[in-house]
Amino acid sequence: HGLAVTEFSELEIPITRLHDAPLGNPGMRLVDTQHIFGNFRADAQNPDNYYFIATDDHLRDIRAAGSEIFFRLGTSIEHTTNNYFAFPPQDYEKWADVCVNIIRHYNEGWNNGFSWNIIYWEIWNEPDITKQMWNSSMEEYCRLYEVTAKKIKARFPNVKVGGPVLSYVHPGNNDTLARLFLEYCRDHQVPLDFFSWHRYASDMKEIVVEPTLVRGLLDEYEFTETELHLNEWHYWIGGFSKPAYFDLVDGLPGINAAVFATAVISAWQDTPLTMGYHYTVGQLSSAWGAWDAWGERLKLFYTLKAFAKIARCKERVEAVSDDINVQLLAGIGPDGKRSVLISNFKSGNAELKIRLKGAENTRFRLVRIDLDHDWEESECTTDAQGVVNLPGAGEGLSSALLLQEA
């Protein structure tokens, strides 16, 4: 929402997925198909039957912060006693027509709209979550996906459409629903520009290897050009418990979650993943994102800010670590100066020794983010061998360090 545009801009986020936008903006009719086209019995071709203004403002704020849009068509998750919208549409063809008109509004100016060239359009969310998201079968989701994807691609051949947005895909272990969807799309010649799924984890190895496994799964079904979008992920210690929401060490808003984020993104640079969308960045229950309900910046804000700095380096430099929980990302910026991001996720190392080849006796600015420091700046200098000793973190704790050549 508008008050967070400054913070959002500072993180330089390249693309924003719109799922669950109403949850972070209570009382607003945002994004969800039923909020834009509120009466499904109405004429889908009559512009008067659409309510765009709140979503227009929401997307305008996101774009003002420098981020592109990934538009999820469908409904947000329902953590409610009854389900209100987590059902298959009454008429798939009509629902697809509504989706086409939403795209027309944002890409072709229809109904006082825009020419924003939004590329990514996702169909529904987590159809395998049978109460909160989709009260029907996976086969039924496949049929909705087919009708909608074919109609969108016929009308807008240059946009990208995808799904199935599964809450998990564990290739070789528990991938039955993913295989069902891929087989359906292959056999019915359904467009699949990107394959999307979700993963919540606390183990680096599990989440880092998953894109490679999913790539193999898609290649098996001949979707070799389909992009991979892991578009919900977060550090997860299990259960919607009080510690998960309030523990500033190992909970959702804690230092370990914040460093896990940059460690994972760093490691994903060497996998087939196309895009990874953290859930979330904006406040949601004052725990999930980079700031809370009162605008107070959380640890995640500072680690993502550090990642934004290293992402400005257009020339990547090889960086090697012997510990998967200590991730390094190094590069050379447009000014020729060198930077290194160190994500030290629960490695148990109280001190880190880094050797920077070619940067002997060089002064660096050090940014430190840990349990006790949000963005503490100091200076350090490498020795004659290019080695610098840096602070780590205690047992069970994490830290992020950003070295920028002075």
Side-chain angles (χ1 to χ4, degrees):
H1 38 105
L3 294 176
V5 170
T6 301
E7 287 80 3
F8 201 64
S9 299
E10 200 169 334
L11 298 183
E12 301 179 25
I13 292 167
I15 191 166
T16 301
R17 181 174 180 250
L18 300 185
H19 179 61
D20 282 352
L23 275 63
N25 300 271
M28 296 189 69
R29 292 174 57 188
L30 288 175
V31 176
D32 291 354
T33 308
Q34 75 275 3
H35 291 324
I36 293 174
F37 187 72
N39 179 7
F40 199 74
R41 293 187 295 273
D43 180 2
Q45 303 308 327
N46 185 344
D48 293 340
N49 294 328
Y50 290 78
Y51 175 80
F52 283 112
I53 185 169
T55 305
D56 291 350
D57 289 344
H58 187 66
L59 270 62
R60 191 181 287 109
D61 284 344
I62 293 171
R63 287 171 51 84
S67 184
E68 295 297 325
I69 304 295
F70 179 102
F71 203 114
R72 188 270 299 128
L73 298 162
T75 187
S76 297
I77 195 166
E78 295 185 331
H79 297 296
T80 49
T81 302
N82 292 315
N83 295 112
Y84 307 102
F85 306 110
F87 299 95
Q90 299 166 5
D91 181 332
Y92 290 178
E93 293 286 347
K94 184 174 182 177
W95 192 82
D97 288 338
V98 171
C99 293
V100 163
N101 283 336
I102 292 172
I103 301 174
R104 289 176 64 201
H105 176 77
Y106 288 110
N107 284 1
E108 294 184 348
W110 180 76
N111 200 357
N112 300 311
F114 309 90
S115 298
W116 283 346
N117 191 33
I118 297 174
I119 299 297
Y120 290 101
W121 299 86
E122 184 176 52
I123 297 172
W124 215 264
N125 177 75
E126 297 186 339
D128 53 333
I129 303 297
T130 53
K131 182 179 188 297
Q132 291 97 337
M133 280 308 315
W134 181 254
N135 284 277
S136 189
S137 65
M138 190 65 194
E139 289 82 359
E140 204 60 46
Y141 170 79
C142 291
R143 284 188 278 273
L144 174 69
Y145 181 85
E146 177 184 12
V147 170
T148 310
K150 286 182 174 179
K151 186 162 285 192
I152 289 175
K153 290 293 284 186
R155 180 65 175 76
F156 310 99
N158 294 324
V159 306
K160 295 184 179 181
V161 64
V165 216
L166 294 172
S167 65
Y168 66 88
V169 176
H170 302 317
N173 182 15
N174 192 355
D175 56 11
T176 303
L177 297 182
R179 288 182 176 277
L180 189 157
F181 174 77
L182 293 170
E183 182 178 335
Y184 187 97
C185 289
R186 182 194 62 192
D187 294 349
H188 293 79
Q189 297 183 311
V190 184
L192 185 63
D193 295 313
F194 63 89
F195 180 91
S196 55
W197 80 104
H198 301 161
R199 184 68 150 101
Y200 292 83
S202 58
D203 182 277
M204 281 290 296
K205 292 178 183 177
E206 289 181 3
I207 197 167
V208 168
V209 74
E210 193 155 282
T212 301
L213 298 177
V214 173
R215 177 77 274 159
L217 181 62
L218 265 68
D219 291 352
E220 182 181 337
Y221 287 86
E222 301 177 2
F223 288 102
T224 57
E225 301 301 316
T226 297
E227 295 180 5
L228 303 183
H229 290 238
L230 205 173
N231 59 16
E232 271 192 37
W233 63 279
H234 200 294
Y235 181 63
W236 187 245
I237 55 175
F240 294 94
S241 62
K242 187 174 181 180
Y245 280 86
F246 294 99
D247 184 353
L248 295 181
V249 173
D250 216 31
L252 294 170
I255 185 62
N256 288 339
V259 176
F260 184 76
T262 52
V264 169
I265 300 171
S266 298
W268 275 343
Q269 302 303 311
D270 298 310
T271 73
L273 190 67
T274 307
M275 295 185 191
Y277 305 67
H278 189 270
Y279 186 93
T280 65
V281 170
Q283 73 87 10
L284 184 67
S285 303
S286 300
W288 291 87
W291 51 85
D292 64 19
W294 299 274
E296 190 74 24
R297 297 176 177 187
L298 303 174
K299 295 293 183 182
L300 178 65
F301 177 87
Y302 299 104
T303 57
L304 291 183
K305 180 179 176 181
F307 186 86
K309 299 290 186 185
I310 199 73
R312 290 181 182 178
C313 297
K314 300 305 180 184
E315 182 182 347
R316 189 177 175 192
V317 176
E318 183 181 14
V320 179
S321 167
D322 58 4
D323 185 346
I324 192 172
N325 287 332
V326 181
Q327 288 291 324
L328 306 177
L329 204 56
I332 301 173
D335 58 0
K337 293 187 175 182
R338 295 160 288 192
S339 297
V340 184
L341 174 63
I342 305 159
S343 299
N344 174 33
F345 172 68
K346 297 173 72 172
S347 71
N349 294 311
E351 184 179 77
L352 301 171
K353 181 178 288 187
I354 306 293
R355 183 184 177 210
L356 305 174
K357 294 172 67 175
E360 295 79 13
N361 298 313
T362 303
R363 190 161 52 92
F364 285 86
R365 185 170 68 94
L366 172 66
V367 175
R368 182 180 181 184
I369 306 160
D370 56 29
L371 183 62
D372 301 315
H373 305 89
D374 286 338
W375 188 271
E376 183 186 77
E377 297 186 14
S378 61
E379 287 192 352
C380 61
T381 303
T382 57
D383 66 16
Q385 285 73 47
V387 174
V388 60
N389 293 317
L390 300 171
E395 193 70 32
L397 294 172
S398 303
S399 60
L401 304 168
L402 177 64
L403 286 170
Q404 295 179 298
E405 189 173 357

